[in-house]
Amino acid sequence: SFSSFLSSFSEQVRYLQANSRELNSTFGYPNNTIKTSRYSVFNFLPLNLFEQFQRLANAYFLILLFLQLIPQISPLAWYTTVIPLMVVLSITAVKDAIDDVVKWLFGLLEDKWMNIQVGDIIKLKNNQPVTADVLLLSSSEPYGLTYIETAELDGETNLKVKQSISVTSNLEDNLGLLSSFDGKVRCESPNNKLDKFTGILTFKGKNYTLDHDKLLLRGCIIRNTDWCYGLVIYTGPDTKLMQNCGKSTFKRTHMDHLLNVLVLWIFLFLGGMCFILAIGHGIWENKKGYYFQDFLPWEEFVSSSVVSAILTFWSYFIILNTMVPISLYVSVEIIRLGNSFYINWDRKMYYAPKNTPAQARTTTLNEELGQVKYVFSDKTGTLTQNIMIFNKCSINGIIYGMHETEKVDFSYNKLADPKFSFYDNTLVEAMKKGDHWVHLFFLSLSLCHTVMSEEKVEGKLVYQAQSPDEGALVTAARNFGFVFRSRTSETIMVVEMGETKVYQLLAILDFSAVRKRMSVIVRTPEDRVMLFCKGADTILCQLLHPSCRSLRDVAGEGSLRTLMVAYREVDNAFYQAWSKKHSEACLSLENREDKISDVYREMEKDLMLLGATAIEDKLQDGVPETITTLNKAKIKIWVLTGDKQETAVNIAYACNIFEEEMDGIFIVEGKNDETVRQELRYRWENCHNLVLRAFLGNLKCGCVLVLQAYALEGNLELELLRTVCMCKGVICCRMTPLQKAQVVELMKRYKEVVTLAIGDGANDVSMIKAAHIGIGITGQEGMQAMLNSDYAISQFCYLQRLLLVHGRWSYNRMCKFLSYFFYKNFAFTLMHFWYAFFSGFSAQTVYDTWFITFYNLVYTSLPVLSLSLFDQDVNETWSLRFPELYDPGQHNLYFNKKEFVKCLVRGIYSSFVLFFIPMRTIHNSVHSDGKEISDYQSFSLLVQTALLCVVTVQIALDTTYWTLISHIFTWGSLGFYFCILFLLYSDGLCLMFPNVFQFLGKAMNTLNLPQMWLIIILSVVLCILPVIGYRFLKPLFWPADVDKTKLRHTRPRRSSYAFSHKQGFGALITSGKTMKDKVFKKNISSNVPEQSASSPSGLCASWEI
Amino acid sequence: MTWSATARGAHQPDNTAFTQQRLPAWQPLLSASIALPLFFCAGLAFIGLGLGLFYSSNGIKELKYDYTGNPGTGNCSACALADQDRAPPLRCSCAWYFSLRELFPGPVYLYYELTNFYQNNRRYSVSRDDTQLSGLASALRHPANECAPYQRRASGLPIAPCGAIANSLFNDSFSLWHQRQPGGPYVEVPLDRTGIAWWTDCHVKFRNPPLVNGSLALAFQGTAPPPNWPRPVYELSPDPNNTGFINQDFVVWMRTAALPTFRKLYARIRQGNYSTGLPRGAYLVNITYNYPVRAFGGHKLIVFSNISWMGGKNPFLGIAYLVVGSLCIIMGFVMLVVYIRYQDQNDEDEDAE
């Protein structure tokens, strides 16, 4: 049977033996490191160069370099390409290296667990994260129970319990036994299914079946368990967590893709020009060059003008190479790097309590931050703080906590929790006065729960609740004077206003997602049988006694999770009869669940309303405001959570993703393709009608869709997309990490928009990796999200600053930079084209070789750099106050193909002006001493100086934010050009290398020409005035519109019930398993079977030993 | 517990204007009060400047004569015809007669102009060796590869000066004669053939190789003149300060032109009676016709011109300034009209809201 079991595995099987490193090492399992860096010392240079040359432009320049080495076709010296290429490659390499070292350093921090290997037995302590996927062997708790929190994995905040198999739980913490444990495990190969695990443990010749209840996954945190031992099954990349992380891809921005397309266009344009010029050359050689051979004979290998034309094609290919801007990519990288530093440096994104600044971990995505259209957010830890606060309560129709006064002083209560705070003194007064209803209310809170208490130091109680909401309720009762002190499986000890009372616990009617309530039945010291119940308002209302129908609403705000509390005094005889029925139901084999819930229903009726509680699921600071602002910026926000629907919807209301006036909330939760399809179609029609009606009637309306994970399965993508895109807010619940990524992928695939994913836990990693931009929330436990993110911030509310200020600026700067960059290169290069018509298409350059080498690298790089590092069209205050300004980025209006063509046209025009004005001016023109000035070198100098002046004035015009640095860079570069000119054309340098520096004495001779300055003025005016005119007239013809949004406020009633509780703990408590008291443990351990039988609900335990 | 940013000492970022992007800055806005006056001012300034340039260029006198000698165009056609069989007879001479009715104000400059001559052809313009021309002895006998095919003679001797530019040195020569009285004798007008090249060129850039035993000829020993040259470079002029690589005609020629039609300075007329210009009377230019241009459809011209503060006659800049100035003003008016109209309309829109 064992072999057949093994054969049921589809592929490989993992074998391992505990405490046997030799055996396990033969299988070559990976170690526990998680590699985040890309390079190693040895492969850096080849790998980095390879990656760099994959870029079209870099590869092109390499080819160009080889072309230039052929003397027959090369019109330019080799250094014109080599120098810029070297500079560009080395800057990029240095930047990549720094990036990688940073990643590697962060990786090291997690490496303290790197030595863990498969087959090791490790000890885990309370509140420690699990570092690998381990098989639970034993723990400090009875029966090998271990409590874990899985917030990192699925975002759920309630505790879960894992239990070891009994044979290993007996090992306890006996190190001798543990180190001699030699169990063999055969289990499935690593996979990404979080809720599935099958395997077999062979120990002392016996086989034990293993399932996922016995596996602690990496990323979980041990809670309420002092220690536990586990056998490492999967390590490092094999862990289910890492398997769920999705593959790491190198992210490229939309701008990168656009640039690639544009570079391709430029190639085509370049090819076209070279072709035209080559034909021109052929004609010229035929008509003129052939007859000019007395003075300039053809080279030997040139047999006809056609051959010459072919060579010229390549010559022009080299000359016009500056059309493809070599320093484009490196400049883009530098700009992004600079703008990333601004993010790191921003004090307004620095979170003082945790001492964490924002962090740009990827420096290549900045401008995309200004283009985000969809934000996919995690819930727990991202929108919420995962802290529950007892905020308000309504007792017998009186609401407490509405009017904030000073903080309540709980010093009268020695057992009070000092961390608890409440701001309404009237409740305490009522308490002290001995108000019957208030006392009963808090008694019910202190009895009706599944919390366990721990009192290591006398008077210092520590509660361990399976959900933070419940903990908050019991703590509230404790502070107000109804202290839940301890429990056994049959009793609950409560200190009521200093007086200790013991209640006999008769039954726990456990919580379930369907029932949405839980009850306890106790026998009071006065020998009355009481039922206390708490649950969702909508459910509980139907169970109330007809006499109490009045209900006061405590759910004033969206973020409150409300529960109603009710009680019922039960007749002893009725209880006995019910108890019998209950036992029968629990023992029945068929339809047990239904029968039990029928029995429960019988008991939970005719309840008397005590009141209601409101627990605030504390949102992170500024979350609703941030979401409102982002909504105004037309950014759609989706919540993707692994949590339950109720809690997710509740939070969605709390943080303004859903608004009260929204017309419809749709829940799609079919279990198979067809039902989901129908549901989606129906919703779509609904939405459509709503939107249509809204459009006609000018009503503000929005649809909201709550998606369950099932809806994502099957081939429903288009259907889903169609519906989802109609909705104003979308919430996806019960998502596995991989499904989160699938949603993001879906949007990426079908919509040409920029997506952003933000999350804090390991369960968000896959979505963070999948989205165009991944943002990790730092400062929480666990770093997986941060390590895989592109940007790390410590508060959700920093997102608005990151997007609306930094993103917008980065985008605007990048667009300005690109427009200007292409323009200046076109203006620069196309001059050669015009000159071809006057130089026999001979691939003669217009400029000095040195000017070609330095133009992009030195003369024009700093001004555009200062523009793209300092420019601000509007300041941060306006950016945040008018989120509408974010809109152009989402539609990529500032730099697209159209803008590129504009740059091209502008470049053509400028080069035309810049060529023909000097040309006509110096034609047959002489200096005032009669010496001619129409020589080639003077012409070069004239044209290049005029060009530099024009592009400098152009950037001055583009700059809207003139800092001192901008002034220095812009005008300094121009001044620097003249200095370099005198240096390059100086006697000394020219005499040392006469063939390299040929322009001796040119600077002096030409710069004192009046024509020179007249040409510069004329060219500047001719090139710039049309631009000024265009910029002046454009806003007059097409004014930018700013939408005015009006908000209306109406609040319909809705159930605000949300409780992160889970079924099963009631049974666990009454079975006595959780009792830590050793004495007690010994008592019951002898009679576990009877205990289970005697406690009615203990039979219904959902797990078996 | 897990590592957090605190452990690594991540600190609060510095509060400087630079890191917080709050650098003080001037934020100019392109408003109507700037743009419109800018256009009008620029327009007016340009028209003023344009008028000045135009009149100053118009005041310059220029006298041109095409002596290429295409059939039926003066007496150089004989030389031109002889030129067609590729070996122009040495010292084929022709003349250009002209008369001035009034003074041609000085200083007068004599230029020769070539058309359709592609000195800016890439292969032509690189065919030189500046190291050789800078007088470096080692480079003299090792001309650069760029000079090919005028790097070495068939005999293997290095060519000095090498390259196509030097080989195609313009070798027509002119003399100017003045007949003061009708019927009187022609008196030769002195032409100043020095000071026609840039100072930096003939004093820094171009240098003769060091003399050997005080003789330039010996310094050039072991080199050959370019194939088209009838005599070696050290015999370009009898004047020892104007021969060899620093011969001014040669230096002027070596400064290649930017465009296929170009002028080069031949001589300045500034001596004796002619320092104030060319007085009225009949003139004769005696041309020694050597240089073949008709093969490639070129023309040779003689140009007499005087000079203003702006240099030679070229009306282009003046006209361009006038045109651009007018355009500015027209654009200014258009913008003003559009601005007023749309401003009103936008105001109305806002009022309507």
Side-chain angles (χ1 to χ4, degrees):
Chain A
S1 68
F2 182 64
S3 58
S4 70
F5 175 74
L6 280 186
S7 65
S8 70
F9 292 124
S10 55
E11 288 180 350
Q12 302 156 268
V13 181
R14 172 166 285 223
Y15 299 93
L16 59 104
Q17 184 175 15
N19 290 320
S20 168
R21 282 205 166 180
E22 299 96 78
L23 175 72
N24 296 329
S25 63
T26 58
F27 301 117
Y29 299 132
N31 69 10
N32 206 26
T33 45
I34 288 165
K35 198 183 166 207
T36 40
S37 58
R38 262 192 300 162
Y39 306 110
S40 73
V41 178
F42 304 105
N43 70 12
F44 174 74
L45 205 62
L47 197 61
N48 185 260
L49 281 181
F50 177 71
E51 279 178 1
Q52 288 205 45
F53 283 120
Q54 277 182 324
R55 288 186 169 165
L56 201 57
N58 286 347
Y60 164 73
F61 284 107
L62 193 67
I63 294 167
L64 205 69
L65 186 60
F66 289 124
L67 276 180
Q68 274 188 310
L69 294 176
I70 306 170
Q72 279 77 22
I73 58 168
S74 175
L76 288 175
W78 55 273
Y79 52 81
T80 52
T81 304
V82 171
I83 295 176
L85 190 63
M86 292 289 282
V87 171
V88 164
L89 291 181
S90 40
I91 291 179
T92 313
V94 166
K95 187 180 156 285
D96 286 352
I98 292 174
D99 267 6
D100 213 47
V101 166
V102 170
K103 276 190 185 158
W104 175 72
L105 284 176
F106 272 105
L108 276 189
L109 297 163
E110 292 240 314
D111 274 1
K112 57 189 174 202
W113 304 316
M114 67 176 286
N115 291 326
I116 294 174
Q117 282 181 18
V118 173
D120 290 355
I121 292 180
I122 56 173
K123 181 182 183 181
L124 299 162
K125 286 185 189 159
N126 200 8
N127 296 329
Q128 249 188 7
V130 180
T131 56
D133 290 357
V134 300
L135 176 70
L136 183 61
L137 294 178
S138 63
S139 83
S140 58
E141 306 304 294
Y143 307 100
L145 289 180
T146 299
Y147 300 92
I148 54 165
E149 188 190 290
T150 55
E152 276 269 290
L153 278 168
D154 55 17
E156 287 190 38
T157 54
N158 53 320
L159 292 183
K160 299 194 175 62
V161 72
K162 300 270 172 179
Q163 188 177 23
S164 61
I165 49 177
S166 54
V167 63
T168 59
S169 69
N170 292 336
L171 299 172
E172 294 196 330
D173 58 347
N174 185 329
L175 289 178
L177 284 178
L178 281 168
S179 54
S180 61
F181 177 73
D182 62 346
K184 287 178 190 156
V185 173
R186 289 154 197 242
C187 61
E188 58 190 357
S189 54
N191 58 50
N192 59 23
K193 297 190 180 73
L194 286 175
D195 54 353
K196 192 174 155 276
F197 174 72
T198 45
I200 285 180
L201 171 72
T202 313
F203 182 53
K204 289 182 178 163
K206 277 191 182 169
N207 288 339
Y208 304 89
T209 315
L210 306 175
D211 58 23
H212 81 277
D213 259 348
K214 295 162 181 63
L215 198 68
L216 305 179
L217 300 180
R218 182 180 181 130
C220 301
I221 294 167
I222 308 287
R223 297 285 188 211
N224 301 358
T225 310
D226 285 338
W227 50 261
C228 65
Y229 285 90
L231 169 64
V232 177
I233 304 281
Y234 302 121
T235 48
D238 287 348
T239 55
K240 300 222 175 220
L241 176 64
M242 294 317 290
Q243 294 273 318
N244 254 297
C245 279
K247 60 179 183 301
S248 195
T249 49
F250 191 51
K251 288 182 185 175
R252 292 221 165 279
T253 64
H254 282 75
M255 209 58 97
D256 284 326
H257 291 294
L258 179 63
L259 285 186
N260 277 345
V261 172
L262 294 183
V263 166
L264 214 66
W265 281 18
I266 292 174
F267 274 140
L268 293 178
F269 188 71
L270 180 65
M273 276 203 306
C274 292
F275 187 68
I276 293 170
L277 293 173
I279 288 180
H281 180 81
I283 295 171
W284 186 86
E285 286 288 353
N286 225 1
K287 288 243 170 95
K288 295 192 174 159
Y290 179 77
Y291 303 100
F292 196 60
Q293 289 200 64
D294 286 344
F295 293 134
L296 185 64
W298 285 356
E299 303 203 41
E300 285 153 30
F301 49 82
V302 176
S303 53
S304 72
S305 54
V306 177
V307 178
S308 188
I310 292 169
L311 291 179
T312 306
F313 178 86
W314 293 108
S315 299
Y316 270 114
F317 196 71
I318 295 171
I319 284 199
L320 299 178
N321 77 64
T322 40
M323 281 283 277
V324 185
I326 190 165
S327 53
L328 172 70
Y329 287 97
V330 75
S331 309
V332 166
E333 307 255 290
I334 291 175
I335 290 162
R336 285 174 178 162
L337 190 69
N339 282 302
S340 302
F341 274 116
Y342 284 134
I343 293 172
N344 296 348
W345 286 335
D346 195 340
R347 281 164 72 95
K348 287 179 183 154
M349 295 204 294
Y350 168 77
Y351 190 54
K354 293 240 162 83
N355 192 19
T356 41
Q359 207 184 6
R361 295 176 45 79
T362 309
T363 53
T364 52
L365 302 173
N366 295 47
E367 79 275 355
E368 210 139 77
L369 286 174
Q371 298 181 277
V372 173
K373 187 79 195 165
Y374 283 87
V375 169
F376 299 94
S377 173
D378 179 38
K379 181 182 73 72
T380 318
T382 305
L383 297 175
T384 65
Q385 294 180 353
N386 205 8
I387 295 173
M388 303 292 167
I389 288 176
F390 181 81
N391 194 294
K392 283 175 200 163
C393 60
S394 151
I395 304 170
N396 196 27
I398 302 161
I399 298 178
Y400 300 96
M402 283 298 269
H403 314 288
E404 291 203 348
T405 56
E406 77 267 32
K407 198 173 163 184
V408 173
D409 177 23
F410 288 110
S411 58
Y412 68 91
N413 184 353
K414 283 188 187 106
L415 290 167
D417 184 349
K419 277 177 277 182
F420 181 84
S421 53
F422 194 75
Y423 293 91
D424 193 345
N425 262 318
T426 51
L427 186 56
V428 184
E429 279 153 22
M431 196 76 202
K432 285 179 178 163
K433 258 191 283 172
D435 186 308
H436 170 68
W437 292 109
V438 174
H439 279 214
L440 201 57
F441 178 81
F442 282 112
L443 177 64
S444 114
L445 288 187
S446 64
L447 290 174
C448 178
H449 56 78
T450 55
V451 172
M452 280 161 289
S453 73
E454 201 175 26
E455 195 171 358
K456 282 181 182 159
V457 182
E458 174 74 28
K460 294 218 164 170
L461 284 168
V462 177
Y463 288 148
Q464 287 168 340
Q466 64 140 324
S467 72
D469 335 31
E470 192 159 59
L473 288 178
V474 181
T475 308
R478 163 182 167 183
N479 275 45
F480 282 105
F482 278 78
V483 185
F484 161 69
R485 192 145 197 185
S486 67
R487 72 156 81 228
T488 68
S489 61
E490 289 178 308
T491 58
I492 298 174
M493 190 198 284
V494 178
V495 183
E496 290 179 9
M497 303 303 280
E499 184 188 339
T500 305
K501 285 187 178 174
V502 176
Y503 290 83
Q504 201 182 349
L505 178 61
L506 299 175
I508 294 180
L509 284 57
D510 201 6
F511 183 89
S512 86
V514 183
R515 282 162 40 79
K516 294 183 177 175
R517 62 185 184 268
M518 77 167 286
S519 309
V520 289
I521 304 173
V522 294
R523 192 183 299 278
T524 63
E526 295 85 36
D527 202 29
R528 289 155 66 192
V529 177
M530 303 276 283
L531 173 131
F532 293 103
C533 178
K534 65 180 181 192
D537 45 5
T538 45
I539 300 278
L540 229 60
C541 275
Q542 295 158 13
L543 304 175
L544 290 179
H545 194 267
S547 67
C548 46
R549 286 283 157 181
S550 67
L551 181 74
R552 294 290 294 270
D553 184 16
V554 285
E557 289 162 41
S559 65
L560 297 180
R561 301 162 161 225
T562 54
L563 276 183
M564 282 176 69
V565 182
Y567 81 104
R568 177 186 179 192
E569 188 155 1
V570 188
D571 184 57
N572 202 13
F574 176 80
Y575 169 72
Q576 294 300 344
W578 179 84
S579 177
K580 211 168 157 193
K581 271 192 231 167
H582 182 219
S583 308
E584 279 167 16
C586 285
L587 289 169
S588 70
L589 295 172
E590 286 169 14
N591 295 333
R592 192 170 65 176
E593 303 260 317
D594 292 347
K595 279 180 187 163
I596 289 174
S597 74
D598 284 345
V599 175
Y600 282 176
R601 210 170 295 137
E602 213 169 293
M603 180 54 90
E604 291 169 331
K605 64 179 184 193
D606 297 337
L607 301 174
M608 301 300 290
L609 183 66
L610 272 173
T613 62
I615 299 276
E616 187 184 352
D617 187 354
K618 205 141 170 29
L619 292 177
Q620 289 204 2
D621 292 336
V623 166
E625 295 84 351
T626 304
I627 286 178
T628 312
T629 313
L630 293 182
N631 273 334
K632 275 191 211 153
K634 298 200 181 114
I635 298 172
K636 290 193 174 182
I637 297 166
W638 291 26
V639 177
L640 308 185
T641 176
D643 208 346
K644 287 183 284 294
Q645 183 195 314
E646 295 89 2
T647 45
V649 170
N650 201 287
I651 290 302
Y653 275 106
C655 54
N656 285 352
I657 292 173
F658 289 1
E659 283 163 25
E660 300 286 357
E661 72 264 30
M662 280 181 175
D663 282 338
I665 293 183
F666 309 124
I667 296 162
V668 176
E669 49 180 348
K671 295 256 161 92
N672 58 46
D673 267 22
E674 207 36 55
T675 49
V676 173
R677 189 189 302 277
Q678 280 168 4
E679 216 166 333
L680 282 173
R681 197 159 294 168
Y682 171 68
R683 296 306 177 207
W684 182 78
E685 277 157 16
N686 246 336
C687 271
H688 202 72
N689 291 340
L690 280 176
V691 172
L692 214 63
R693 196 141 39 88
F695 185 70
L696 293 173
N698 203 16
L699 277 163
K700 187 171 165 64
C701 131
C703 319
V704 166
L705 197 70
V706 178
L707 275 182
Q708 298 274 11
Y710 324 107
L712 292 168
E713 285 162 8
N715 299 320
L716 298 165
E717 294 180 339
L718 282 173
E719 200 83 39
L720 178 67
L721 213 67
R722 191 176 67 163
T723 314
V724 151
C725 291
M726 305 280 303
C727 295
K728 196 154 176 286
V730 177
I731 291 183
C732 304
C733 320
R734 291 270 167 233
M735 307 285 278
T736 66
L738 224 49
Q739 280 172 328
K740 288 185 178 187
Q742 279 168 358
V743 174
V744 177
E745 292 284 355
L746 187 71
M747 292 307 287
K748 270 172 78 179
R749 203 165 342 125
Y750 290 104
K751 305 216 91 185
E752 283 276 307
V753 290
V754 178
T755 55
L756 178 147
I758 178 167
D760 71 313
N763 58 331
D764 306 315
V765 167
S766 58
M767 117 175 137
I768 284 173
K769 280 184 176 175
H772 290 111
I773 303 168
I775 293 186
I777 302 271
T778 52
Q780 315 284 327
E781 287 173 64
M783 296 203 303
Q784 280 308 323
M786 193 269 261
L787 280 178
N788 288 289
S789 66
D790 304 307
Y791 297 90
I793 52 180
S794 32
Q795 288 282 300
F796 181 81
C797 63
Y798 295 156
L799 190 64
Q800 61 177 332
R801 196 171 162 79
L802 188 66
L803 297 186
L804 298 185
V805 178
H806 288 281
R808 204 175 134 328
W809 277 345
S810 292
Y811 174 73
N812 285 3
R813 288 166 183 174
M814 186 57 75
C815 291
K816 273 191 172 182
F817 163 79
L818 288 175
S819 300
Y820 174 74
F821 202 85
F822 282 114
Y823 162 75
K824 85 175 162 76
N825 273 294
F826 290 144
F828 170 71
T829 311
L830 289 171
M831 221 87 99
H832 298 303
F833 182 77
W834 306 120
Y835 194 41
F837 291 89
F838 300 91
S839 64
F841 304 93
S842 59
Q844 176 67 296
T845 55
V846 187
Y847 319 105
D848 174 18
T849 336
W850 288 104
F851 185 75
I852 296 175
T853 316
F854 288 154
Y855 177 74
N856 270 327
L857 216 56
V858 181
Y859 301 143
T860 58
S861 59
L862 285 183
V864 73
L865 209 63
S866 84
L867 171 84
S868 41
L869 287 181
F870 299 114
D871 203 53
Q872 302 178 5
D873 54 346
V874 296
N875 65 21
E876 55 183 52
T877 323
W878 289 87
S879 294
L880 288 171
R881 194 176 298 164
F882 295 102
E884 297 84 1
L885 291 171
Y886 192 76
D887 193 53
Q890 291 172 331
H891 301 101
N892 196 12
L893 293 184
Y894 291 156
F895 190 80
N896 47 36
K897 287 170 183 159
K898 203 175 127 198
E899 288 299 316
F900 173 78
V901 172
K902 274 192 207 165
C903 292
L904 181 63
V905 171
R906 217 146 51 91
I908 293 174
Y909 168 74
S910 287
S911 68
F912 186 86
V913 167
L914 281 167
F915 177 77
F916 283 96
I917 286 186
M919 188 209 113
R920 291 299 309 160
T921 308
I922 65 146
H923 177 73
N924 278 349
S925 191
V926 296
H927 199 259
S928 56
D929 61 3
K931 293 166 190 169
E932 76 283 348
I933 54 167
S934 59
D935 66 293
Y936 168 70
Q937 295 186 339
S938 303
F939 179 65
S940 291
L941 190 67
L942 251 164
V943 169
Q944 70 197 35
T945 311
L947 169 73
L948 211 60
C949 290
V950 166
V951 295
T952 305
V953 173
Q954 175 70 49
I955 197 154
L957 199 65
D958 284 346
T959 308
T960 52
Y961 195 78
W962 283 95
T963 61
L964 186 64
I965 301 174
S966 318
H967 280 295
I968 292 172
F969 277 8
T970 309
W971 310 122
S973 278
L974 196 59
F976 185 65
Y977 162 73
F978 287 105
C979 298
I980 287 250
L981 215 58
F982 279 99
L983 174 74
L984 286 180
Y985 301 167
S986 68
D987 296 0
L989 207 57
C990 292
L991 284 179
M992 247 187 293
F993 309 100
N995 278 342
V996 182
F997 301 97
Q998 300 174 333
F999 280 53
L1000 194 150
K1002 207 74 275 194
M1004 234 13 252
N1005 281 322
T1006 311
L1007 291 181
N1008 61 16
L1009 284 178
Q1011 280 98 332
M1012 166 108 185
W1013 302 103
L1014 287 171
I1015 285 171
I1016 290 175
I1017 293 170
L1018 187 64
S1019 314
V1020 167
V1021 164
L1022 259 181
C1023 291
I1024 300 304
L1025 276 190
V1027 180
I1028 294 185
Y1030 174 74
R1031 294 206 180 150
F1032 178 77
L1033 291 178
K1034 195 185 168 192
L1036 292 176
F1037 283 111
W1038 300 283
D1041 51 352
V1042 175
D1043 292 325
K1044 283 166 191 163
T1045 46
K1046 290 161 196 146
L1047 289 167
R1048 292 178 299 127
H1049 290 283
T1050 49
R1051 276 181 189 278
R1053 250 199 75 77
R1054 65 178 171 82
S1055 166
S1056 53
Y1057 156 80
F1059 204 57
S1060 60
H1061 222 63
K1062 206 183 165 194
Q1063 189 174 8
F1065 268 75
L1068 197 66
I1069 286 169
T1070 46
S1071 72
K1073 275 183 186 174
T1074 56
M1075 297 309 119
K1076 287 191 180 175
D1077 185 1
K1078 291 278 177 190
V1079 184
F1080 178 69
K1081 187 177 153 195
K1082 271 172 204 149
N1083 283 344
I1084 60 163
S1085 59
S1086 54
N1087 57 4
V1088 169
E1090 299 136 49
Q1091 174 77 30
S1092 305
S1094 68
S1095 166
S1097 52
L1099 284 175
C1100 311
S1102 55
W1103 44 62
E1104 324 286 337
I1105 297 168
Chain B
M1 288 306 290
T2 49
W3 175 88
S4 74
T6 340
R8 253 181 106 227
H11 294 300
Q12 188 170 20
D14 294 338
N15 188 12
T16 63
F18 173 65
T19 55
Q20 303 308 311
Q21 305 198 56
R22 278 188 279 102
L23 287 175
W26 171 58
Q27 288 170 278
L29 265 180
L30 187 64
S31 63
S33 57
I34 291 174
L36 293 176
L38 184 74
F39 271 77
F40 289 117
C41 292
L44 290 176
F46 268 52
I47 288 176
L49 207 55
L51 285 174
L53 289 171
F54 187 72
Y55 283 112
S56 107
S57 171
N58 262 6
I60 292 170
K61 271 190 114 171
E62 209 177 77
L63 198 62
K64 266 191 193 183
Y65 177 67
D66 184 339
Y67 74 97
T68 320
N70 287 329
T73 56
N75 63 5
C76 284
S77 35
C79 291
L81 276 179
D83 166 46
Q84 270 182 342
D85 36 20
R86 291 301 321 113
L90 218 59
R91 301 212 168 273
C92 173
S93 291
C94 53
W96 167 38
Y97 296 92
F98 65 97
S99 58
L100 295 173
R101 287 194 195 139
E102 54 186 358
L103 176 79
F104 195 109
V108 181
Y109 296 82
L110 175 57
Y111 299 91
Y112 60 91
E113 181 176 327
L114 294 177
T115 66
N116 226 356
F117 194 104
Y118 284 80
Q119 264 205 321
N120 61 3
N121 189 298
R122 179 175 61 85
R123 287 194 300 115
Y124 181 87
S125 63
V126 299
S127 186
R128 62 193 284 159
D129 184 355
D130 280 308
T131 319
Q132 190 187 47
L133 296 173
S134 73
L136 212 64
S138 57
L140 184 66
R141 286 172 189 83
H142 300 97
N145 290 335
E146 280 84 15
C147 288
Y150 303 108
Q151 192 182 9
R152 286 169 192 280
R153 294 296 276 267
S155 61
L157 279 181
I159 295 175
C162 74
I165 310 177
N167 182 51
S168 58
L169 177 69
F170 184 76
N171 56 1
D172 285 0
S173 59
F174 314 105
S175 58
L176 178 64
W177 301 80
H178 181 209
Q179 186 184 35
R180 288 186 188 163
Q181 268 85 43
Y186 278 98
V187 182
E188 185 164 9
V189 180
L191 297 179
D192 181 6
R193 303 296 313 284
T194 58
I196 55 174
W198 289 21
W199 189 89
T200 43
D201 278 359
C202 53
H203 288 93
V204 184
K205 193 172 180 183
F206 289 79
R207 283 178 188 176
N208 278 326
L211 303 181
V212 177
N213 296 333
S215 157
L216 191 60
L218 285 179
F220 277 102
Q221 204 172 35
T223 65
N228 278 8
W229 288 22
R231 48 176 189 263
V233 65
Y234 49 87
E235 285 174 14
L236 278 178
S237 159
D239 177 4
N241 291 328
N242 191 24
T243 191
F245 289 155
I246 56 169
N247 175 269
Q248 298 223 348
D249 279 332
F250 175 69
V251 170
V252 166
W253 181 255
M254 291 305 283
R255 179 161 286 289
T256 55
L259 298 167
T261 300
F262 59 87
R263 271 175 201 186
K264 286 187 185 290
L265 187 57
Y266 184 78
R268 297 183 292 170
I269 303 165
R270 53 173 200 165
Q271 283 154 335
N273 299 331
Y274 303 97
S275 56
T276 52
L278 293 177
R280 47 176 300 192
Y283 287 87
L284 151 69
V285 180
N286 214 342
I287 302 161
T288 316
Y289 193 110
N290 293 322
Y291 204 67
V293 291
R294 294 186 62 226
F296 54 87
H299 287 263
K300 305 195 280 189
L301 288 86
I302 303 175
V303 182
F304 287 98
S305 171
N306 56 14
I307 292 270
S308 73
W309 63 276
M310 263 287 303
K313 189 181 182 77
N314 187 343
F316 172 76
L317 261 187
I319 294 170
Y321 264 82
L322 285 174
V323 170
V324 173
S326 324
L327 280 179
C328 280
I329 291 193
I330 293 169
M331 265 307 290
F333 275 115
V334 170
M335 283 163 64
L336 187 65
V337 170
V338 170
Y339 175 70
I340 291 169
R341 250 195 85 194
Y342 277 82
Q343 193 67 17
D344 289 350
Q345 197 174 323
N346 286 353
D347 285 346
E348 277 164 30
D349 287 354
E350 267 164 39
D351 292 344
E353 273 177 36

